[in-house]
Amino acid sequence: MKLLKPSWVSHNGKPIFSVDIHPEGTKFATGGQGEDSGKVVIWNMAPVLREEDEKNENIPKMLCQMDNHLACVNCVRWSNNGLYLASGGDDKLVMVWKRAAYIGPSTVFGSSSKLANVEQWRCVTILRNHTGDVMDVAWSPHDVWLASCSVDNTIVIWNARKFPEMVTALKGHTGLVKGLTWDPVGKYIASQADDHSLKVWRTMDWQLETNITKPFSECGGTTHVLRLSWSPDGQYLVSAHAMNNSGPTAQIIERDGWKTNMDFVGHRKAVTVVKFNPKIFKKKQKNGSSPKPSCPYCCCAVGSKDRSVSVWLTSLKRPLVVIHDLFDKSIMDITWTLNGLGILVCSMDGTVAFLDFSQDELGDPLNEDEKNSIHQNIYGKSLAITTEAQLSTTIIENPEMLKYQQEKELAEHRNAASHETQAPKLTSVVNGESLEDIRKNLLKKQVETRTADGRRRITPLCIAQLDTGDFSPALFNSVPILPGSSMSSQLTPQLSSDSSTANSLGLRPAQDTPATAPGKTPAEPKEGGSSLALSGSASTGMNSTSMKPNLLLTSAAKMEPMKALDSRFTERSKATPGVSPAPSLGSLDSRVKDSSSLKDPKSKDETSSDSEEKMAAIKSLPFNKRKAEMEGGEVVEKRKKGRPRKDAKVAPVSQAFLQATPSTEKEPVRVVAPVALLKLPTPTPQKAFSLQVSSEPSVYLEVENEVSTVGGARLSQLRCSRDGREWDTLLASRILTAAGSCDVVAVACEDRMLSVFSSCGRRLLPAILLPAPMSTLHCSASFVMALTAAATLSVWDVQKQSVLVRNESLQTILSGTDTTVSQSLLTQQGVPVISLSNGKSYCFNSSLETWNLIADKQDSLVQCADFRNCLPSQDAMVTTGPLAVMQGRTLNVCPHSSQRLSTLNPASVRTQPGGLRKRELLKEVLPVIGQNLRFQRLFTEYQDQLELLRNK
Amino acid sequence: MAKVQVLNVAVLDNPSPFGNPFQFEMTFECMEDLPEDLEWKIIYVGSAESEEYDQTLDSVLVGPVPAGRHMFVFQADAPNTGLIPETDAVGVTVVLITCTYRGQEFIRIGYYVNNEYTDPELRENPPLKPDYTQLQRNILASNPRVTRFHINWDGCAEKMEDTENIDPAPNVMLPPSCAPGKALPLGLLPDNSMDCL
């Protein structure tokens, strides 16, 4: 057995009440007391397991910390599927956390530590029902329910599939309920309370199954928690604190008749926590020795108030190991690793210990199958609802299947890779505008109104939907901020301003510090370690005046005069009705601490002399400043110059930007179309691009911008090749986008000119001046469709020289801020079709002058409609009609559609629905089925049948 | 748990002349749709000694606030120089941004502000009567001091005021130094204010 106390797992010395390892074994959560709130921290498991990972600074140790609980967190528990984390605390709340996708590292605003959260865990639901501290939470097998117990004497069962729905409240305890455990078979839930009882409840009707009191009658309510545990085979329930002959024990309760004949004895004080190893073990068969198969046994860890941990095997009469003096205070929680060979133990003293066992010590863990067969034998049913984890251990029986599985994995890898590269791109753009652009114009753009009583009211700009980590469609166009995009970019100017302020506030010469620091630092509890340590070193005469301490000292000195001001940060305005101010993030200023802690008599004097000191400091500031200028004047000057220069640099860029897209000329547009707020992305000018317009006859367009300069004007070239014959023309402005059909070629330039040519290169019309820059351009037959950046649509028939759609606004269909145009096309008949990011597609009927909805991916009717079944697969489709494109014929094989799949059975059905040969279709579908391991047998069956038919 | 979390505050136009308006770009996140507006205030602390010299530069309502992440720029005019004690004009003071929901303040963001003359001549020999046109305001943007308060997000403010009126005893009983800033012992809280915790 190896023992490790990772010192870095701490809540800054505050007690840790709970610890739980993630089902994947890659991370673990701790819950406990934070600075002035409850705290949940998610840690990386790798540095605990491997020393090299612990030393590797690139491997993060802390993944995420959540300060959202208002009071101490008593329990953290991962769901069995690992997707959720539930936490319960003294604030009477149960919070359920989920990892948020798409959000990178971030810090808590205003928090002193600049440590970023590597993972983002977001509270997805808050469960409110308890009227007292929540002591324990537990997920039921298969995550159907979540149970929580509280000092309000109740246990609440929540519907884990439909938070925050409450299933029931179990009432019956007459004391604080301090522990919960589910029967691994799912039939019962057991609870232990301070009322000297352990109750077992049925999950079928949520009624009391049994009430066990005898072993607990002598118990006093002295433990903080009573975490009991059920053995993985379901046969034994082991309680926390019980008494036997006035000695503390952990009572073993047999499932069969709830008999209480055995107990774990030996701890000197009350047992606080019992935790069964999730694995069932069997003894290693040693060569030559006992040939009889040993009985499988369980393993259990017991923690106590006597600060010791014991590990027991049900096959042994004595504990496997007892570890004393590992902690300074009571054990609070124990959790086993996934493989059953390690435990994490946490204590009230704020530390965590890791115990690592070998298989020689514990035995050979049974695999899931063996465990299931034990369950099958005892309970007549297997507990295994084939979970993903188990699927991964399923043996692939078919080589073809293996191939598809590997392909799937590869595709996933590629997806993940491309996802990573895409993510920042995705996030920096909202509705076609980068966040930077938005921020630049936010003040001008934000909607400000006056309320009836004349007050200003600002409508905030929504920059992201709330991201719960689901792949919601909203994420495709509205995106949360990445620190890369805004936070960090903003950090730089802040930092520079910081350093400049630090400088301007007075950079003290190093020699001054020993004189000033010791006297002042004791009055700076807030500045904490750094300044105190410094004053120590300064007073001991160690004139080690390196740059860093010097800077720290100046910051300490800088804060000094502001103590009077400091209180203003935390004192709530008197007008607001106060509940209980709880300043967070450790930014409690010195004033408050001073005045509230009566222990420190010095601080009293401090507050009274605040004003004087401040005056003195103000007077001294210019003085310091002068000194700083004499000694560090160069630096200050540089900074001073540096800043405006930076600003000046920004200005030309924005000017250039204005020139590039003539936004000044947008003003008239606003008059024409009051919906100028709707902005569609415009293509960025490229140096050169080419596109194929049609294949029959083959027509190619080539565009080269700024190909030559004539008389100061830069010319752009459009070259068109049609069946080998070429023509080209020059344009005076850069070409943004081009489109063509067999009959016409159209190009839109930066100067908002739209030029239309015949396929042979004749200019069909003089250039059209568009009301706004071009967003998307389409040509089809003799029709030209223009979608401008101001979200207006026009379609012209250039042959007949007539207009089909006249500057029609897309406002009608772009209702809401979060939809954008995702695709547009023009049919051969000149009907414009626009599909939006919300899955809806519209065409504009020019005779009715209306927008008609032609496809809606979110329409539940359409989704459930039978015709979807016979939709041909993408490859089988030779002709692609516009409607089909819009309706997106993606072949969805959902995991639960096996019945639907069975209709594809080649042997049973030989008809040709939808004009398609079933077998052909099946051949195409087979790879898709092959990617899902659940359908392995189905896959093999169909494959065999297809093979059979082919050979006939 | 707070329904609104301030994610970031960017101090715009900083440093700037004393007379320039304050500009803060606020980014905040809301857990669920808020039926009422948020009220944001910028308070300029004229003098550290007394709240008497506090100036509320501006207050705006922000709404409607649906669930999600939002941004806005809060601009407020520079403080009225007439209300600032002359001795406190130059030097370090504080600007506060507070946000209230249903009349209850739930976050207070404070920044140190240093007002100083840019002209070295003036800096060495500051005029007796401060010359505000020559003063430069520098907000220590990198060091916001954030204090969060627990409020009742669901109930209405009146109720809470009532409980305060009915049961002011806990406040009175505490030593005066404990009253501001320090959390009340949990047991002393009036019953229905528990809901908000």
Side-chain angles (χ1 to χ4, degrees):
Chain A
M1 188 195 75
K2 283 183 273 184
L3 210 149
L4 170 78
K5 276 193 100 173
S7 57
W8 42 271
V9 181
S10 84
H11 288 201
N12 294 334
K14 299 274 189 338
I16 297 177
F17 281 92
S18 184
V19 62
D20 199 33
I21 298 176
H22 189 271
E24 280 171 10
T26 53
K27 52 193 157 213
F28 64 97
T30 56
Q33 185 67 48
E35 292 301 323
D36 36 32
S37 62
K39 193 174 191 178
V40 177
V41 186
I42 297 172
W43 307 88
N44 198 353
M45 194 71 193
V48 177
L49 300 175
R50 282 174 298 274
E51 197 181 357
E52 59 266 35
D53 287 350
E54 187 177 10
K55 284 175 182 158
N56 187 345
E57 286 186 1
N58 295 326
I59 294 174
K61 292 190 171 68
M62 186 192 288
L63 299 178
C64 185
Q65 57 174 327
M66 297 90 97
D67 293 333
N68 303 41
H69 270 288
L70 302 179
C72 183
V73 176
N74 291 315
C75 189
V76 285
R77 291 290 180 262
W78 296 100
S79 65
N80 298 296
N81 60 17
L83 290 177
Y84 297 98
L85 175 72
S87 61
D90 283 354
D91 54 3
K92 307 172 195 108
L93 304 179
V94 177
M95 293 190 187
V96 181
W97 307 84
K98 189 181 184 190
R99 188 167 172 190
Y102 293 120
I103 304 183
S106 74
T107 52
V108 179
F109 174 68
S111 95
S112 50
S113 71
K114 289 284 177 249
L115 210 63
N117 283 339
V118 179
E119 288 183 1
Q120 289 296 304
W121 287 80
R122 184 185 289 275
C123 180
V124 283
T125 187
I126 299 172
L127 306 174
R128 297 183 172 92
N129 187 270
H130 287 294
T131 55
D133 308 2
V134 177
M135 299 309 294
D136 205 359
V137 292
W139 296 86
S140 77
H142 309 304
D143 299 327
V144 184
W145 300 295
L146 175 69
S148 60
C149 67
S150 161
V151 301
D152 65 6
N153 301 359
T154 67
I155 300 147
V156 173
I157 311 290
W158 310 89
N159 182 351
R161 305 249 159 100
K162 239 168 105 188
F163 285 129
E165 191 184 282
M166 205 178 113
V167 178
T168 186
L170 308 179
K171 288 176 185 160
H173 276 292
T174 52
L176 323 179
V177 191
K178 289 181 171 176
L180 281 176
T181 184
W182 289 89
D183 161 27
V185 187
K187 212 173 159 190
Y188 304 111
I189 179 173
S191 59
Q192 191 173 353
D194 266 355
D195 60 359
H196 315 294
S197 80
L198 185 156
K199 294 184 200 296
V200 181
W201 314 76
R202 288 187 294 270
T203 56
M204 202 165 63
D205 53 4
W206 303 114
Q207 295 304 308
L208 190 68
E209 166 77 16
T210 186
N211 185 20
I212 298 158
T213 53
K214 200 170 147 263
F216 310 104
S217 51
E218 297 174 57
C219 296
T222 53
T223 59
H224 188 84
V225 289
L226 295 166
R227 303 198 204 271
L228 64 174
S229 182
W230 214 303
S231 68
D233 61 0
Q235 285 299 291
Y236 299 102
L237 171 64
V238 177
S239 79
H241 186 35
M243 294 292 259
N244 187 358
N245 265 332
S246 59
T249 62
Q251 184 65 46
I252 301 171
I253 298 153
E254 287 173 59
R255 187 194 192 92
D256 191 11
W258 310 114
K259 288 188 288 250
T260 56
N261 297 329
M262 297 180 284
D263 47 19
F264 292 125
V265 193
H267 281 286
R268 282 160 292 156
K269 285 186 182 171
V271 170
T272 48
V273 49
V274 175
K275 199 61 163 269
F276 267 100
N277 191 317
K279 296 279 184 196
I280 301 173
F281 294 88
K282 64 173 188 280
K283 202 70 207 161
K284 211 168 207 162
Q285 296 290 321
K286 285 195 182 103
N287 284 345
S289 71
S290 64
K292 66 167 175 103
S294 76
C295 207
Y297 55 88
C298 297
C299 172
C300 178
V302 178
S304 158
K305 260 186 101 172
D306 66 6
R307 304 179 286 122
S308 67
V309 183
S310 57
V311 178
W312 305 70
L313 302 179
T314 51
S315 61
L316 297 178
K317 291 201 166 148
R318 299 197 161 271
L320 183 72
V321 62
V322 182
I323 301 154
H324 291 290
D325 301 320
L326 193 53
F327 297 102
D328 296 333
K329 283 183 181 166
S330 168
I331 310 286
M332 295 308 291
D333 204 359
I334 297 174
T335 177
W336 286 89
T337 57
L338 184 71
N339 59 14
L341 293 176
I343 53 174
L344 273 173
V345 185
C346 73
S347 160
M348 190 88 110
D349 68 7
T351 62
V352 166
F354 180 65
L355 279 66
D356 191 17
F357 297 95
S358 70
Q359 284 202 2
D360 290 337
E361 289 160 330
L362 293 185
D364 286 338
L366 299 186
N367 61 29
E368 287 302 305
D369 279 348
E370 290 170 302
K371 193 169 152 185
N372 282 337
S373 72
I374 288 179
H375 282 139
Q376 194 109 38
N377 286 340
I378 305 174
Y379 309 105
K381 64 171 181 178
S382 164
L383 297 183
I385 298 173
T386 37
T387 55
E388 288 297 331
Q390 280 165 311
L391 266 180
S392 62
T393 61
T394 309
I395 295 164
I396 297 169
E397 300 159 348
N398 191 319
E400 285 287 305
M401 191 86 191
L402 181 68
K403 191 182 108 196
Y404 290 126
Q405 286 287 325
Q406 283 168 342
E407 274 174 17
K408 179 189 161 195
E409 240 168 67
L410 245 163
E412 272 168 5
H413 266 281
R414 245 178 283 133
N415 273 351
S418 65
H419 205 91
E420 265 165 39
T421 51
Q422 267 175 6
K425 229 192 264 170
L426 228 160
T427 46
S428 58
V429 173
V430 180
N431 288 342
E433 256 185 304
S434 80
L435 206 62
E436 284 307 306
D437 289 346
I438 290 176
R439 298 183 66 215
K440 230 179 273 170
N441 300 319
L442 189 56
L443 185 60
K444 277 176 223 149
K445 274 170 94 178
Q446 71 188 12
V447 182
E448 196 173 310
T449 50
R450 293 262 170 197
T451 59
D453 51 350
R455 302 191 51 190
R456 283 167 69 196
R457 183 176 194 242
I458 295 171
T459 306
L461 181 79
C462 183
I463 54 172
Q465 306 288 311
L466 203 61
D467 165 40
T468 52
D470 298 321
F471 285 79
S472 61
L475 277 168
F476 288 109
N477 48 17
S478 62
V479 168
I481 317 176
L482 260 191
S485 59
S486 87
M487 296 283 217
S488 58
S489 64
Q490 190 177 301
L491 210 66
T492 19
Q494 275 188 358
L495 278 177
S496 63
S497 77
D498 177 27
S499 47
S500 68
T501 354
N503 276 331
S504 60
L505 283 173
L507 230 165
R508 263 165 216 244
Q511 298 91 289
D512 282 9
T513 51
T516 52
K520 292 192 178 179
T521 38
E524 294 285 332
K526 177 185 62 62
E527 289 299 317
S530 60
S531 58
L532 271 172
L534 262 170
S535 72
S537 72
S539 54
T540 48
M542 282 160 62
N543 280 334
S544 58
T545 46
S546 66
M547 196 55 202
K548 206 176 162 197
N550 192 11
L551 272 174
L552 274 169
L553 260 180
T554 52
S555 78
K558 178 183 80 192
M559 294 307 171
E560 176 76 12
M562 288 168 233
K563 228 170 288 122
L565 293 167
D566 274 359
S567 64
R568 306 303 309 282
F569 289 134
T570 45
E571 271 170 30
R572 214 198 279 223
S573 54
K574 280 170 185 150
T576 53
V579 190
S580 65
S584 65
L585 298 168
S587 63
L588 241 180
D589 63 285
S590 51
R591 181 33 133 41
V592 171
K593 268 197 182 158
D594 286 346
S595 53
S596 57
S597 66
L598 295 162
K599 288 174 255 165
D600 191 352
K602 223 175 187 176
S603 55
K604 272 189 174 170
D605 311 343
E606 203 54 57
T607 43
S608 59
S609 61
D610 264 355
S611 51
E612 283 169 38
E613 250 179 70
K614 190 192 166 248
M615 294 287 278
I618 287 169
K619 274 180 201 137
S620 72
L621 266 174
F623 173 68
N624 289 337
K625 182 69 206 167
R626 213 182 314 152
K627 265 205 170 156
E629 265 177 6
M630 286 192 301
E631 306 207 354
E634 234 181 73
V635 186
V636 176
E637 278 308 303
K638 260 186 200 159
R639 288 259 159 70
K640 282 258 165 76
K641 273 180 191 159
R643 278 200 67 80
R645 206 184 299 149
K646 212 179 211 171
D647 295 346
K649 243 183 228 166
V650 173
V653 172
S654 62
Q655 273 171 13
F657 177 77
L658 287 176
Q659 281 160 6
T661 56
S663 60
T664 43
E665 287 166 294
K666 270 186 219 154
E667 292 308 322
V669 184
R670 287 188 191 198
V671 184
V672 180
V675 286
L677 276 177
L678 292 171
K679 272 184 75 180
L680 298 182
T682 53
T684 46
Q686 288 165 284
K687 181 79 187 82
F689 60 92
S690 63
L691 72 161
Q692 182 174 13
V693 164
S694 82
S695 52
E696 194 66 38
S698 71
V699 181
Y700 288 92
L701 289 182
E702 272 175 59
V703 169
E704 203 173 340
N705 284 324
E706 296 172 349
V707 68
S708 61
T709 312
V710 178
R714 295 199 167 156
L715 298 179
S716 300
Q717 187 178 48
L718 169 71
R719 182 180 293 133
C720 176
S721 124
R722 183 192 163 93
D723 276 340
R725 282 192 288 175
E726 278 192 18
W727 56 266
D728 58 52
T729 183
L730 290 172
L731 292 158
S733 172
R734 282 200 287 180
I735 297 168
L736 285 178
T737 176
S741 68
C742 297
D743 302 325
V744 293
V745 172
V747 290
C749 296
E750 218 167 52
D751 58 1
R752 293 191 284 127
M753 289 295 182
L754 175 68
S755 307
V756 184
F757 303 92
S758 78
S759 57
C760 305
R762 183 166 56 90
R763 210 180 242 278
L764 288 172
L765 335 153
I768 300 170
L769 177 64
L770 294 168
M774 181 69 77
S775 173
T776 320
L777 181 65
H778 289 288
C779 290
S780 182
S782 60
F783 303 101
V784 177
M785 163 179 165
L787 198 56
T788 67
T792 58
L793 171 80
S794 303
V795 178
W796 304 279
D797 185 341
V798 287
Q799 212 159 48
K800 288 187 189 146
Q801 306 253 343
S802 65
V803 63
L804 274 83
V805 179
R806 187 196 317 258
N807 226 8
E808 186 63 35
S809 165
L810 265 62
Q811 194 190 19
T812 328
I813 57 172
L814 283 177
S815 58
T817 50
D818 53 343
T819 48
T820 53
V821 175
S822 62
Q823 201 184 358
S824 59
L825 62 90
L826 183 64
T827 68
Q828 290 283 319
Q829 290 74 38
V831 179
V833 182
I834 296 204
S835 96
L836 303 178
S837 55
N838 59 9
K840 293 188 165 108
S841 302
Y842 298 88
C843 71
F844 191 78
N845 187 326
S846 50
S847 43
L848 292 174
E849 299 200 348
T850 54
W851 288 101
N852 299 2
L853 179 67
I854 53 166
D856 185 356
K857 278 182 192 159
Q858 279 161 354
D859 190 338
S860 42
L861 272 178
V862 174
Q863 273 180 346
C864 303
D866 265 348
F867 78 84
R868 262 189 119 71
N869 277 351
C870 34
L871 277 177
S873 85
Q874 226 142 7
D875 310 327
M877 202 70 173
V878 183
T879 55
T880 48
L883 195 61
V885 169
M886 283 304 158
Q887 284 172 344
R889 306 147 288 108
T890 45
L891 201 60
N892 289 325
V893 178
C894 63
H896 306 291
S897 61
S898 43
Q899 296 104 316
R900 199 180 275 180
L901 282 174
S902 65
T903 60
L904 292 172
N905 191 329
S908 61
V909 191
R910 284 161 196 230
T911 48
Q912 302 183 346
L916 257 175
R917 298 177 60 87
K918 264 268 149 135
R919 285 168 210 164
E920 297 295 312
L921 180 58
L922 183 58
K923 228 182 268 171
E924 283 162 21
V925 172
L926 219 46
V928 185
I929 303 175
Q931 284 180 2
N932 196 328
L933 207 50
R934 281 173 215 266
F935 301 141
Q936 179 164 201
R937 296 286 160 82
L938 197 72
F939 175 84
T940 315
E941 187 189 337
Y942 287 179
Q943 203 199 18
D944 289 351
Q945 283 173 345
L946 264 180
E947 201 67 25
L948 215 75
L949 288 165
R950 203 178 296 149
N951 294 341
K952 263 183 194 171
Chain B
M1 186 189 145
K3 284 186 187 171
V4 172
Q5 306 267 359
V6 173
L7 299 178
N8 192 36
V9 177
V11 182
L12 308 177
D13 188 26
N14 183 45
S16 67
F18 188 85
N20 272 20
F22 282 92
Q23 280 185 11
F24 297 97
E25 179 198 275
M26 319 293 302
T27 309
F28 65 93
E29 190 174 81
C30 186
M31 302 284 291
E32 41 194 283
D33 298 4
L34 294 182
E36 283 175 39
D37 287 354
L38 295 168
E39 184 181 358
W40 296 80
K41 268 186 205 158
I42 298 181
I43 298 163
Y44 185 84
V45 176
S47 166
E49 269 88 275
S50 159
E51 282 191 40
E52 204 183 309
Y53 299 106
D54 282 9
Q55 294 185 37
T56 301
L57 300 185
D58 205 347
S59 89
V60 291
L61 298 170
V62 170
V65 184
R69 199 171 281 194
H70 309 276
M71 272 176 120
F72 71 97
V73 173
F74 189 1
Q75 178 170 337
D77 289 337
N80 180 350
T81 52
L83 300 176
I84 301 172
E86 283 180 8
T87 49
D88 289 311
V90 180
V92 179
T93 183
V94 159
V95 65
L96 300 167
I97 306 165
T98 69
C99 188
T100 55
Y101 182 67
R102 292 185 154 136
Q104 312 160 77
E105 181 178 338
F106 65 90
I107 191 164
R108 161 166 295 215
I109 301 156
Y111 284 102
Y112 288 119
V113 179
N114 186 29
N115 295 316
E116 60 177 3
Y117 292 108
T118 44
D119 183 7
E121 188 67 31
L122 278 169
R123 218 180 289 168
E124 287 192 31
N125 309 303
L128 215 59
K129 198 172 166 56
D131 181 1
Y132 287 102
T133 58
Q134 296 295 313
L135 269 181
Q136 190 195 47
R137 175 181 69 218
N138 194 343
I139 301 170
L140 187 59
S142 61
N143 192 10
R145 304 286 223 91
V146 183
T147 313
R148 296 177 169 95
F149 305 100
H150 306 152
I151 64 159
N152 186 353
W153 288 91
D154 299 310
C156 49
E158 288 82 12
K159 236 188 198 167
M160 309 236 337
E161 267 161 350
D162 281 348
T163 64
E164 278 215 331
N165 295 340
I166 291 165
D167 190 12
N171 278 325
V172 176
M173 273 153 57
L174 286 168
S177 58
C178 270
K182 173 80 179 147
L184 294 175
L186 217 69
L188 291 176
L189 279 173
D191 252 2
N192 47 353
S193 70
M194 287 284 201
D195 301 352
C196 65
L197 285 179

